[in-house]
């Protein structure tokens, strides 16, 4: 719960707590350390003083009196004992020591010699009373060293510390030992006085440092929070779509660098939005141009379809007329056979031949006129196919331009996605726009590739139709030439009928010649009939191709409409940002 409460706090309280809590901890640690150091210092000072007191006391003792006391038969009744005890008692009273005494080492035992207690103290330690010391103290004293113990708890005397020092004669020989015990209450008294004096010095200094640290921290936090507020205000505006509010750099640290990076990000996003707006306008214009071209192509395709239908109708009529010509040629063959069979009826047959010549001449003239009309129609259709092929190539070129625009749009979408990922949360909405724009570019690219495939197929069909038209035109011209030759032949027949009497002996040869011409005419008419059938079939194929082209152009128009709507949506999305 405490952790969640701390996390719900604002940045300013958190920073204050982060600074104040360590300061308070430092304050507490400093006070505790001060107390510990003063306590140790007080103990160390008293220990040093006790050592000096022991040294001075030993210096004042009469070493000869000590040796004489040891050799007397009743040491406690000797004058030396009384003198030494009075000296130690005076030291105790003058210094406030808890216990001052002398002792010696006899047969691995420590024994009291002189107790510096008051003369009326019944609990003093008599001469040769055993004294207990630890092994460490024993080894140190036997080595001739002075010992000052730490504070220990005595069951009888409470907390105290002691100093033990050897007593040496003039020759340096150890003749005894002096011990002075100091109560720990003395240490506490010194500690109390010292700690008060220390607090008088430390607390004002620490308070001044604490106040200066708090003021400096508040100034630093205020400046830092002001920089954070600037960055937050700018990012809120960017999140709302307003890219015209940069953040002011206040600090020279990493927060200032973040402010500069935020401004650089805003400028970069502004450039991307402007580029997207320009690209969406260009895309919208291109889609409108594609739609116009698709409409024009659709109208031309409809005109081509009508022309092809007219060609198909003319081809059907031409086929019927060709069949009729074949029938006429068969009749001509019968007449020629009758001429060969009935030579004696040559006169009447000549008249009949004249009549047939006139009829066949009119039919061939009509056939020649229709052939010329077919040639003109084929030439017009050839011109239309050439125009349609040129317009198809133009449409393919426009598709290439649109493909370039789609590639630029894909590159722009990729760059927009990269810049949106760099912007983090601020660029999330823009990343969606960039993703949609990338999908639009991909769909547009697929549509343009499908259009290029359809247009390529259409251009190939037109080229095949153009080649077939050229063949049909050549065949029609040959048909006209042959019909002209046939009419010349009939003119010869007319001249033969007029000179029938004069040329009777040549009738057999002319009959053979006419049979030969008739067979050629039948072959020509058969070829014309086959060519007409091929023209009709090709016309049906061209009509089917024109229908497919109409469907493709309609799909292209729908795609350009969708592209235009997507460009408008992209522009609306970009216009939501204020740049």
């Amino acid at each position: 719960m405490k952790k969640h409460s701390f996390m719900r706090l604002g940045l300013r309280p958190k920073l204050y707590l982060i600074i104040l809590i360590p300061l308070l901890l430092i304050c507490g640690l400093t006070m505790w350390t001060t107390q510990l150091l003063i306590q140790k210092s007080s103990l160390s000072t008293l220990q040093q003083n006790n050592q000096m007191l022991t040294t001075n006391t030993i210096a004042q003792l009469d070493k000869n009196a000590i040796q004489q006391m040891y050799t007397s038969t009743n040491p406690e009744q000797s004058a030396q004992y009384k003198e030494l005890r009075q000296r130690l008692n005076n030291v105790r009273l003058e210094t406030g020591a808890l216990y001052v005494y002398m002792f010696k080492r006899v047969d691995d035992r420590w024994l009291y010699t002189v107790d510096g207690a008051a003369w009326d103290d019944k609990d003093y330690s008599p001469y040769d009373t055993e004294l207990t010391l630890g092994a460490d103290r024993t080894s140190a004293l036997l080595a001739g060293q002075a010992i000052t113990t730490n504070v220990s708890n005595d069951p009888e005397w409470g907390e105290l510390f002691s100093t033990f020092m050897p007593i040496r004669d003039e020759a340096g020989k150890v003749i005894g030992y002096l011990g002075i015990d100091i109560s720990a209450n003395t240490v506490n008294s010194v500690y109390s006085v010292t700690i008060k004096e220390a607090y008088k010095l430390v607390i004002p200094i620490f308070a001044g440092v604490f106040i200066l640290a708090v003021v400096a921290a508040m100034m630093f936090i205020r400046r830092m929070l002001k920089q954070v507020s600037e960055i937050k205000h700018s990012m809120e505006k960017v999140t709302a779509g307003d890219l015209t509010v940069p953040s002011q750099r206040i600090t020279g640290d990493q927060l200032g660098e973040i402010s500069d990076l935020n401004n650089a990000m805003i400028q970069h996003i502004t450039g991307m939005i402007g580029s997207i707006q320009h690209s969406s306008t260009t895309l919208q214009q291109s889609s409108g141009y594609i739609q116009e071209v698709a409409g024009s192509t659709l109208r031309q395709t409809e005109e081509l379809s009508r022309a092809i239908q007219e060609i198909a109708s003319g081809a059907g009529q031409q086929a019927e007329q060709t069949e009729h010509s074949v029938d006429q040629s068969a009749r001509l063959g019968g007449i020629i056979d009758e001429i060969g069979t009935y030579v004696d009826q040559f006169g009447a047959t000549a008249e009949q031949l004249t009549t047939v010549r006139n009829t066949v001449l009119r039919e061939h003239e009509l056939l020649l006129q229709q052939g010329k009309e077919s040639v003109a129609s084929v030439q017009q259709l050839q011109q239309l196919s050439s125009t349609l092929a040129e317009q198809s190539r133009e449409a393919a070129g426009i598709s290439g331009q649109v493909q370039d625009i789609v590639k630029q749009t894909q590159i722009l979408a990729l760059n927009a996605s990269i810049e949106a990922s760099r912007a983090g949360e601020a660029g999330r909405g823009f990343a969606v726009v960039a993703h949609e724009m990338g999908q639009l570019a991909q769909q547009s690219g697929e549509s343009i590739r499908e259009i290029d495939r359809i247009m390529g197929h259409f251009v190939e069909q037109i080229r095949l139709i153009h080649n077939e038209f050229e063949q049909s035109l050549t065949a029609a011209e040959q048909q006209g030439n042959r019909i002209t030759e046939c009419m010349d032949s009939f003119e010869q027949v007319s001249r033969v009928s007029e000179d029938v009497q004069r040329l009777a002996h040549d009738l057999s040869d002319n009959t053979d010649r006419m049979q030969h011409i008739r067979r050629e005419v039948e072959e020509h008419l058969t070829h014309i009939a086959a060519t007409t059938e091929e023209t009709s079939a090709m016309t049906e194929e061209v009509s089917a191709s024109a229908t497919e082209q109409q469907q493709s152009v309609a799909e292209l128009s729908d795609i350009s409409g969708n592209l235009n709507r997507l460009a408008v949506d992209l522009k609306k999305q970009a216009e939501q940002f204020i740049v």
Side-chain angles (χ1 to χ4, degrees):
M1 293 297 292
K2 292 182 179 180
K3 182 178 179 181
H4 293 299
S5 300
F6 178 77
M7 295 302 294
R8 286 196 295 267
L9 291 176
L11 181 59
R12 187 185 298 272
K14 287 181 181 178
L15 291 174
Y16 285 153
L17 289 175
I18 289 172
I19 293 175
L20 290 176
I21 289 175
L23 287 176
L24 293 175
L25 290 175
I26 292 172
C27 178
L29 182 61
T30 302
M31 299 299 290
W32 177 78
T33 305
T34 302
Q35 292 177 0
L36 183 61
L37 291 176
I38 291 174
Q39 187 176 9
K40 289 184 177 181
S41 177
S42 299
L43 178 60
S44 177
T45 301
L46 290 176
Q47 287 175 340
Q48 292 178 359
N49 292 336
N50 198 29
Q51 289 179 0
M52 293 177 61
L53 175 62
T54 306
T55 301
N56 294 333
T57 302
I58 290 174
Q60 296 175 4
L61 293 176
D62 188 356
K63 280 67 175 184
N64 293 326
I66 296 173
Q67 291 178 348
Q68 292 175 4
M69 179 186 64
Y70 289 161
T71 59
S72 62
T73 57
N74 189 4
E76 284 191 9
Q77 300 299 322
S78 64
Q80 293 81 7
Y81 175 83
K82 294 178 181 179
E83 180 183 356
L84 292 172
R85 181 172 178 179
Q86 185 63 40
R87 172 66 66 179
L88 296 180
N89 186 28
N90 292 335
V91 171
R92 181 181 60 81
L93 295 175
E94 290 173 359
T95 60
L98 180 63
Y99 200 14
V100 181
Y101 50 92
M102 293 174 57
F103 58 96
K104 64 180 179 178
R105 179 75 171 177
V106 178
D107 297 333
D108 296 332
R109 292 190 305 161
W110 295 104
L111 301 175
Y112 284 104
T113 55
V114 179
D115 187 357
W119 292 101
D120 56 352
D121 188 358
K122 298 179 180 180
D123 294 329
Y124 83 101
S125 298
Y127 189 86
D128 284 343
T129 302
E130 188 173 355
L131 173 65
T132 303
L133 294 176
D136 295 338
R137 298 176 183 179
T138 299
S139 60
L141 291 174
L142 292 177
Q145 299 176 0
I147 300 174
T148 300
T149 65
N150 292 323
V151 176
S152 60
N153 190 5
D154 188 88
E156 181 178 358
W157 300 98
E159 292 184 348
L160 53 85
F161 67 92
S162 305
T163 299
F164 305 103
M165 189 174 294
I167 302 174
R168 301 178 185 273
D169 58 10
E170 295 178 357
K173 181 181 179 181
V174 178
I175 58 175
Y177 298 91
L178 178 65
I180 299 177
D181 296 338
I182 303 297
S183 176
N185 293 330
T186 306
V187 178
N188 295 332
S189 299
V190 175
Y191 166 74
S192 300
V193 175
T194 307
I195 195 66
K196 290 179 181 179
E197 296 297 328
Y199 282 164
K200 291 179 181 179
L201 179 63
V202 173
I203 290 176
I205 295 175
F206 185 81
V209 173
F210 182 79
I211 292 172
L212 289 176
V214 170
V215 171
M218 291 179 65
M219 294 177 63
F220 171 74
I221 291 172
R222 183 179 180 184
R223 185 176 179 85
M224 184 176 65
L225 291 177
K226 188 175 181 181
Q227 181 68 80
V228 172
S229 178
E230 281 287 329
I231 298 173
K232 179 182 177 184
H233 177 69
S234 177
M235 295 184 71
E236 286 176 349
K237 291 295 184 181
V238 171
T239 304
D242 188 358
L243 302 177
T244 60
V245 182
S247 61
Q248 181 183 0
R249 180 167 183 172
I250 298 174
T251 63
D253 53 10
Q254 285 82 359
L255 287 177
E257 294 177 358
I258 292 174
S259 176
D260 293 339
L261 292 174
N262 180 62
N263 294 334
M265 181 186 69
I266 292 174
Q267 292 178 359
H268 197 61
I269 293 176
T270 300
M272 286 195 300
I273 294 299
S275 177
I276 290 173
Q277 290 177 348
H278 177 71
S279 299
S280 62
T281 303
T282 303
L283 184 61
Q284 189 176 5
Q285 293 175 355
S286 300
S287 62
Y289 179 71
I290 292 173
Q291 196 167 11
E292 292 178 0
V293 172
S296 176
T297 306
L298 182 61
R299 290 192 296 271
Q300 293 175 359
T301 305
E302 291 176 351
E303 293 177 359
L304 177 62
S305 178
R306 288 194 296 270
I308 291 172
Q309 290 177 358
E310 292 176 359
I311 292 173
S313 177
Q317 294 178 0
Q318 185 180 8
E320 293 178 356
Q321 292 173 359
T322 303
E323 291 178 357
H324 182 69
S325 297
V326 171
D327 294 337
Q328 293 293 332
S329 178
R331 291 177 59 190
L332 179 61
I335 292 173
I336 294 173
D337 291 337
E338 289 178 0
I339 290 174
T341 305
Y342 302 103
V343 177
D344 53 351
Q345 298 177 355
F346 188 77
T349 305
E351 293 179 356
Q352 186 178 3
L353 180 61
T354 302
T355 303
V356 173
R357 179 193 60 84
N358 292 331
T359 303
V360 173
L361 183 61
R362 288 193 299 272
E363 293 293 334
H364 279 77
E365 288 177 350
L366 180 60
L367 182 61
L368 181 61
Q369 182 66 28
Q370 291 177 352
K372 291 179 179 180
E373 291 178 356
S374 297
V375 170
S377 298
V378 170
Q379 290 176 349
Q380 184 179 5
L381 185 60
Q382 188 178 16
Q383 292 177 356
L384 288 175
S385 65
S386 299
T387 302
L388 184 58
E390 182 66 22
Q391 291 177 352
S392 298
R393 286 189 292 271
E394 292 178 357
I398 293 171
S399 298
Q401 296 177 1
V402 174
Q403 187 71 22
D404 293 338
I405 293 172
V406 170
K407 291 180 179 179
Q408 293 178 0
T409 305
Q410 289 176 342
I411 294 172
L412 181 60
L414 179 60
N415 292 333
S417 298
I418 295 172
E419 294 301 330
S421 65
R422 291 180 180 176
E425 292 295 331
R428 178 176 295 177
F430 183 69
V432 176
V433 175
H435 179 69
E436 293 295 330
M437 186 173 67
Q439 290 185 347
L440 168 62
Q442 185 178 2
Q443 294 176 359
S444 301
E446 293 176 356
S447 300
I448 293 302
R449 288 192 292 270
E450 182 65 20
I451 291 170
D452 288 339
R453 186 186 65 79
I454 294 173
M455 292 300 294
H457 180 70
F458 180 70
V459 169
E460 182 65 20
Q461 292 294 328
I462 291 175
R463 187 182 64 79
L464 295 175
I465 292 171
H466 184 75
N467 294 334
E468 294 295 333
F469 283 164
E470 288 181 352
Q471 294 178 3
S472 298
L473 182 61
T474 302
E477 289 176 354
Q478 292 177 358
Q479 179 183 3
N481 294 331
R482 290 168 182 170
I483 291 174
T484 301
E485 292 176 1
C486 184
M487 291 178 68
D488 293 338
S489 299
F490 277 107
E491 289 292 333
Q492 293 177 4
V493 173
S494 177
R495 288 193 297 271
V496 171
S497 64
E498 293 175 355
D499 298 332
V500 65
Q501 296 299 330
R502 184 176 55 85
L503 298 175
H505 61 282
D506 295 328
L507 181 60
S508 179
D509 296 335
N510 290 330
T511 300
D512 295 335
R513 184 178 176 183
M514 290 176 64
Q515 288 288 354
H516 178 71
I517 293 172
R518 182 184 68 81
R519 285 192 296 271
E520 289 182 354
V521 169
E522 287 181 353
E523 291 177 357
H524 292 164
L525 290 176
T526 302
H527 182 70
I528 291 172
T531 303
T532 303
E533 291 178 356
E534 292 178 357
T535 302
S536 178
M538 288 188 295
T539 303
E540 292 178 355
E541 292 179 357
V542 172
S543 178
S545 299
T547 302
E548 292 179 357
Q549 185 183 11
Q550 288 179 354
Q551 294 177 356
S552 300
V553 171
E555 292 177 358
L556 178 61
S557 179
D558 294 337
I559 292 171
S560 63
N562 294 330
L563 189 62
N564 188 16
R565 287 191 296 273
L566 291 173
V568 172
D569 293 338
L570 178 61
K571 189 173 182 181
K572 289 181 180 179
Q573 292 290 336
E575 288 176 351
Q576 292 180 359
F577 293 91
I578 302 174
V579 297

